Structures are given as structure tokens and as C-alpha cells.
Amino acid sequence: MKANDGIEINHLGTNNTLVRVTGNARYLLLPIEEKVDDARINVLLNGKIDKTINARLARNKVDYYVPLDLTPYNGNPILLDVATSQDRTTVREASEDACWRKIQLSDTFDTTNREKYRPLYHHTPLYGWMNDPNGMFYKDGVWHLYFQHNPYGSKWQNLSWGHSTSTDLINWTPEPEALEPNGLGMVFSGSCVVDKDGTAGFGKDAIIGLYTSADATQQQSLVWSDDNGETLHFYSGSPVVTLDSEARDPNMFWHAPTQQWVMLLAHALDHEMLIFTSPDLKNWTLQSAFGKGLGAQDGVWECPDLFELPVEGTDEKKWVLICNLNPGGVFGGSATQYFVGDFDGKKFTVDTLADGTVPVKWMDHGKDHYATVSFSDAPDNRRTVIGWMSNWQYAAEVPTMQFRSANTLPRDLTLTKGNDGEYWLKTVPSPETINLRGKRVLSVKSQNIGASGKKYNLPTENDGVCEILLTLDARNAAQMTLSLSNARGEHVDMAFDPASQTFTFDRTESGVTDFSQDFPAVVWAPTLRDSSVQQLRIFIDRSSIEIFDGEGSFVMTNLVFPTDPYNTLTVRSQGGNGQVKDLEIFTINLKK
Ligand code: FRU
């Protein structure tokens, strides 16, 4: 079909155009140019607004297309009433916009991955913008991941819940869009639970979701599903929780000791988490608020979570309250802090240090880990989390186009009591990540590393995506460093310093960094282990590096955009002779 076949375009004014779709096709492809302002598109069926889309309709050139799905209209003609906000002096000028020449009907929408920075084994949306993971739950062998999604562009807009499912936590299948904006506003973040006893009245094992309807204000809306989360229906009694101040991202769970549902809501500007309880997921009572004046307080508090975890090696259990905040994160912008304490079903009481203060604890010490929350009902009492692998400082500017943003690998959490008497989260890659291991391309049992260092080749297949396992033994060295580099001189430098017990990551010369002044950065993590031996597990994808301490004491997640993939790993030691031990490099098993 040629551009404009089956489409009639009528320019009514400098900023108003009507597009009548008379032809038959699966999609109307809208041409997008990222640099221009949004046009407001009312999609009319028989004169009634069916939906409103905000899209950056192309003016000068087409960066990419987004599909408007026409199947719901069953071949009935629709009318797009388009209001642009560009400066125009004549209608003629408006009619020359690239979008009017390029808009077209099509039975297909090409989602082939053509982008060099699109991850090969991390979850990404099929196309369009993504931020927070939402409503994650596990049921009958299937992991469900909804996410903040813009189906009409790769910048934050038209927030909907995209949906993907997986049976192995690694390979994700794209599902139809689960929730789209409605009269109460956009679909912001929220959670889902499996209502095993049917307390909400939608049947046993119904999936119940609660999300923030965001318009002029933010209110909490309920959705339900009787087909395992495939279709989410809007509950007509929504919103079920209303407040006259900014509150969002409801996170629900069943509290067995008190036989009730609990929900945390981020009281964003007040820097506190509100705690509600309910017998039926519809009627919620405010019980307490946690957080005023505690922990990192900058920016807004968002995306809470609360769960109980066993303390390793003891019979003890403690509660962990997750608080994502932005800006004000450990290295600027977005980050995830957590609090450890107790929860009685109504109130969270945080542990304090001997002097009565509450330490600030970060879940991940990279720059690109945000909105992290856990799956409801994960099997075997697992507490499995996934984060959004970006930072609000530059999320909209990263050098990708057809899609924007990926999720972290799934991670499993436990708690440990440190030598300092404090409880710390331990984060390890979920056991399923072992299945990512392909060919072992290098295996070195033990090697002395002098100041000049040792070089190892990284795999070249699949743009060098790989997993590196190694132990740095710095018992006879002051410091050991790792570099990932390519022939263009781009490099990422990491340093293990046993004296200060820190691990540092420097991406200032990692490749493309100039899209934001906040991107080039040096970040560091406390290793939290009194040891000169550091075990590491490193996952490299096309535009991300996740580094896990071998036992989970620290983790850091950072984006990188090398012009060519890194092909060399260099290990050096300073102030003595360090050793590399148990170095193994694996290619990644990619879905065929
Ligand atoms: C966090 C957040 C949430 C909100 C969503 C909107 O990244 O700001 O608080 O629900 O993103 O997309």
C-alpha cells in the first residue's frame, strides 16, 4: 500500500488537521520525529473520542513509525482530529509537514531489532518508551512483567501498561498492551496480587491490580483479571483510594499473621510511605506513615515495596522496606534505598543505630537501577526483583530510537547480618541466569598479574555479549584493576581497593557519553566484606554492565554505549603482585 492510500487528509487551520481513515488495514503507521513537540490526536469513531494520543508527528524528517492498531474498529472508518502546537503562519506551511506525506496504512509493523544498543538478553519493550516495571507476579509457571510503556513513541508519554511473560525469567514474550489511559488519566505504576481466596469478589485466583490514575491529580484505580492477567478489566468503583496530595505507585501484599491485605503508597513529595490495610482490596484504611526525615530525603519518594526476608544462617526474619527516590540517589538522579526493621501488619518500625540514627542503605551502587520492586507470589518463598535500567537524569536522551530502556536481569534477595551488627541486603543474579551461559571461551585457573597487566580476549560473536566470572586476589597487592576496552580506545575501568574495601566503576571514557553531562561518571560500592579477595560475576550486554559481588554483598548496574563492542579485558595490579583466579568467560545463549 502506498503512503496515503485509503487516507484523506484535510488541513483545517494552521494547527488543526483531520485525517479520515477509509482503507482497510491492521495498522495506521504514524511518522514520528523525536525533536518536535507532541501533537494531540483524538481518535474518533462515529464522532465520539475513542482515545487520545500524544505523538511527535514528524515535521522535517521521519525518525521512526509507531502503529495505531485499527483492529478494534472492525473496518469502520475513523477520524483523527489532530491539533499541533507548532508555530505556523499559513495552512499551506502546516500541510508541508513530513507526517502528511508519510502517514500510511499497513498490515504489518516491523519490530526487527536494528539498533546497535538494543540489549540481546535483557527485557526491552518491542518498541517505544519504557520505564518502571509494574504489577509483577508469578502464577502457574508464568512470570508476568507489566511495565510503564509509551506505545506511540520512545519518549515518556501516553503511559500505559505494556506486558511481557516468561517461563524462565530470561526469555520474554511480548503480550498485547494491558492497560491504556482512560478518562481518569494515564496509567502510572502499581502492583498485582493473586487473590487466592477471591476476597475482592472477582473469583478465586483472580489477579487484582492497583495502579495510579494520573491526570491533574493522582488517584488509585483497581483492575481485575480472570484470565491470569492477559486481560485487565477496569473496576467501575475506581478510584478506590483518593487523596488530595501527590501519592502513587501502590504496592500490595497479603499479610498472613493479621489475615489482611497491606498496601504501601508513596507520598511522593512528603517523603514518606503510607501504609493501608484492607479485607478485600477495594476498601482501604490508612494505618500509618513511614519515613519522614529518615534516610535519603531529596527529590520524590516513589515505587515502594515491603517484604519479609530470612536472615542467612539464623532463624530470624526481618522486614525490608524499599524506597525508590529521584533525584537524590547515591550518585545523582534516581536510585533505590532500603530500610530494615519490623512490621506488625499496620506499622513499619525501622532499626536504628546505637545513636538512634537510621543509616542510608542503597540496593545497587550503579547509576542505572531504579523503580525496583519484587514479584508477588514468586515460588519457593523467593524474593525476586527486577529494576528499570536507567536514570531519570538522561533516560530520554540515551542513544537509541525505536525503543528506549531495558530492565535489569532478575535478582534474588536475602538478608545477612554484617560484622557491624547491621542487616544488609544480599543481591545475586536469579538462579535462572545460569541458563544464559553458552560456550566457555576462556578458563584460567590462576595467574600472577604484574603492573603491566594481563590481557584476555572477550568473545566477538553477538557483539561481545558475555558473562565473566573471576576472583581478584589482592592479598599481595595494594589494588587491582579491570578494564574493558575496544580498539577505538574506549574503556571502562574498575578498581578493587582492599584497604578502603571499595569497588569503583569509571565510565567517563566508555564510548558515547556526550548526550548528557550527568552520564560520564565514576561510581563506587562498599564491598562490605573484610577481605582482600574479591569474587565477581559480570554480565555484559550491548549497552549495560551489571557487576555482582560473588556472594551478593554489592551490585552495580551501569549503562555504557561503546562505539564498537569491548573486545579486551585487561587485569592489572598496583603496589605488588595480585593474582587472577578462576577466570571464566562465557558467551550468552540467545533465544533462536
Ligand atoms: C517512577 C515514576 C512513578 C510513576 C511513573 C510514571 O519512575 O515516576 O512514580 O508512577 O514513574 O511513569
Side-chain angles (χ1 to χ4, degrees):
M1 220 176 280
K2 291 204 311 293
N4 281 342
D5 267 3
I7 301 169
E8 287 163 20
I9 298 175
N10 191 356
H11 300 290
L12 306 180
T14 49
N15 291 102
N16 190 198
T17 297
L18 285 183
V19 178
R20 187 178 299 279
V21 179
T22 50
N24 242 325
R26 170 106 205 249
Y27 301 112
L28 177 66
L29 300 183
L30 304 175
I32 303 295
E33 178 180 359
E34 287 215 328
K35 284 213 161 56
V36 304
D37 291 335
D38 274 315
R40 192 227 57 215
I41 306 171
N42 282 333
V43 181
L44 309 182
L45 179 66
N46 297 325
K48 280 203 183 128
I49 299 180
D50 179 62
K51 62 168 95 183
T52 300
I53 298 166
N54 294 296
R56 295 167 183 252
L57 290 181
R59 184 173 184 179
N60 310 298
K61 66 171 175 53
V62 180
D63 289 329
Y64 53 85
Y65 290 86
V66 294
L68 171 65
D69 187 0
L70 300 177
T71 43
Y73 305 115
N74 291 324
N76 291 310
I78 55 165
L79 193 62
L80 270 50
D81 183 1
V82 182
T84 59
S85 53
Q86 332 267 25
D87 288 344
R88 302 299 192 190
T89 39
T90 62
V91 177
R92 169 141 193 218
E93 202 188 326
S95 72
E96 283 164 1
D97 282 355
C99 59
W100 310 127
R101 286 192 307 279
K102 301 287 189 178
I103 191 167
Q104 57 195 275
L105 290 167
S106 170
D107 283 326
T108 54
F109 174 61
D110 184 5
T111 54
T112 317
N113 178 11
R114 283 178 296 269
E115 293 204 44
K116 72 188 271 190
Y117 293 127
R118 187 169 184 132
L120 291 177
Y121 62 97
H122 285 76
H123 174 259
T124 54
L126 207 48
Y127 67 95
W129 164 272
M130 175 176 82
N131 58 291
D132 315 357
N134 293 146
M136 296 189 291
F137 73 94
Y138 173 88
K139 187 166 181 282
D140 303 338
V142 181
W143 301 87
H144 289 260
L145 165 60
Y146 303 92
F147 50 89
Q148 289 287 279
H149 186 218
N150 179 6
Y152 303 108
S154 298
K155 299 249 186 198
W156 188 92
Q157 237 327 340
N158 308 304
L159 271 297
S160 306
W161 274 22
H163 186 199
S164 300
T165 53
S166 173
T167 51
D168 62 5
L169 263 182
I170 299 293
N171 295 294
W172 294 93
T173 306
E175 303 284 348
E177 207 70 13
L179 289 172
E180 293 187 52
N182 62 18
L184 284 176
M186 291 198 278
V187 187
F188 273 16
S189 291
S191 61
C192 284
V193 291
V194 183
D195 186 10
K196 294 185 180 137
D197 295 329
T199 60
F202 298 108
K204 280 192 179 192
D205 281 335
I207 305 301
I208 309 294
L210 194 59
Y211 75 86
T212 304
S213 286
D215 203 355
T217 62
Q218 301 184 347
Q219 313 301 339
Q220 318 313 318
S221 292
L222 195 90
V223 291
W224 58 276
S225 166
D226 56 7
D227 60 1
N228 287 335
E230 208 50 48
T231 329
L232 297 177
H233 306 279
F234 192 75
Y235 167 58
S236 56
S238 297
V240 294
V241 178
T242 56
L243 285 178
D244 62 6
S245 51
E246 213 169 298
R248 57 178 172 269
D249 312 337
N251 195 314
M252 310 176 285
F253 64 94
W254 176 250
H255 187 253
T258 54
Q259 291 289 297
Q260 62 185 347
W261 296 101
V262 175
M263 184 255 292
L264 266 72
L265 193 59
H267 210 192
L269 307 176
D270 296 69
H271 307 124
E272 62 182 4
M273 299 303 184
L274 304 177
I275 301 180
F276 294 78
T277 59
S278 170
D280 60 3
L281 296 159
K282 289 175 178 160
N283 296 289
W284 293 95
T285 309
L286 178 62
Q287 299 290 0
S288 63
F290 168 78
K292 267 231 161 91
L294 299 175
Q297 286 274 318
D298 286 353
V300 284
W301 279 27
E302 302 181 318
C303 304
D305 200 353
L306 178 61
F307 43 79
E308 195 179 33
L309 283 180
V311 181
E312 278 186 357
T314 71
D315 294 336
E316 206 183 359
K317 288 185 170 179
K318 296 291 285 183
W319 286 79
V320 176
L321 189 147
I322 302 286
C323 166
N324 289 279
L325 91 162
N326 173 67
V330 50
F331 301 112
S334 322
T336 308
Q337 65 174 331
Y338 67 95
F339 299 91
V340 182
D342 296 300
F343 179 63
D344 64 4
K346 291 184 174 175
K347 188 170 182 272
F348 176 77
T349 311
V350 67
D351 287 356
T352 58
L353 299 176
D355 64 3
T357 58
V358 174
V360 179
K361 294 180 175 170
W362 301 101
M363 196 164 166
D364 183 297
H365 284 81
K367 263 194 85 103
D368 300 297
H369 173 275
Y370 195 56
T372 304
V373 288
S374 64
F375 282 89
S376 295
D377 263 33
D380 309 320
N381 287 322
R382 287 170 61 183
R383 189 51 63 175
T384 304
V385 297
I386 288 186
W388 174 46
M389 202 154 50
S390 199
N391 189 316
W392 281 113
Q393 283 180 328
Y394 42 73
E397 313 306 329
V398 294
T400 68
M401 259 302 168
Q402 198 204 8
F403 85 102
R404 210 166 260 128
S405 291
N407 289 111
T408 65
L409 285 178
R411 298 153 181 208
D412 278 28
L413 304 179
T414 52
L415 264 186
T416 184
K417 195 168 189 173
N419 295 335
D420 53 5
E422 287 286 296
Y423 298 97
W424 297 94
L425 271 185
K426 277 195 164 189
T427 308
V428 295
S430 296
E432 288 83 350
T433 55
I434 290 286
N435 302 327
L436 283 168
R437 284 186 191 164
K439 283 197 301 280
R440 186 193 282 117
V441 291
L442 184 79
S443 172
V444 175
K445 199 77 212 117
S446 170
Q447 192 155 44
N448 282 323
I449 305 290
S452 59
K454 288 272 182 299
K455 286 191 188 310
Y456 308 96
N457 289 334
L458 296 174
T460 49
E461 67 182 78
N462 296 324
D463 292 341
V465 303
C466 64
E467 180 190 352
I468 304 173
L469 285 171
L470 86 169
T471 300
L472 298 173
D473 184 341
R475 280 176 296 184
N476 297 316
Q479 208 192 48
M480 290 187 77
T481 59
L482 297 174
S483 292
L484 301 168
S485 58
N486 62 19
R488 292 176 182 258
E490 295 168 344
H491 53 101
V492 164
D493 300 311
M494 296 165 252
F496 168 49
D497 180 15
S500 61
Q501 291 290 307
T502 55
F503 188 87
T504 308
F505 181 102
D506 178 344
R507 69 172 177 198
T508 51
E509 296 181 357
S510 55
V512 181
T513 62
D514 60 359
F515 50 87
S516 159
Q517 62 178 29
D518 293 313
F519 189 80
V522 181
V523 300
W524 63 275
T527 59
L528 289 178
R529 283 201 288 133
D530 189 15
S531 171
S532 299
V533 180
Q534 178 64 57
Q535 231 188 318
L536 296 168
R537 201 168 158 196
I538 304 176
F539 290 91
I540 304 178
D541 204 336
R542 275 170 157 176
S543 52
S544 63
I545 302 179
E546 286 161 285
I547 302 169
F548 294 85
D549 168 88
E551 289 176 10
S553 296
F554 72 87
V555 47
M556 46 171 65
T557 305
N558 289 297
L559 296 178
V560 286
F561 299 96
T563 314
D564 290 328
Y566 305 124
N567 58 8
T568 308
L569 165 70
T570 309
V571 186
R572 295 190 180 86
S573 64
Q574 292 83 23
N577 274 335
Q579 282 203 319
V580 153
K581 290 186 170 150
D582 301 324
L583 167 62
E584 291 183 285
I585 303 183
F586 295 92
T587 61
I588 300 287
N589 256 333
L590 298 176
K591 196 168 140 192
K592 296 285 171 300

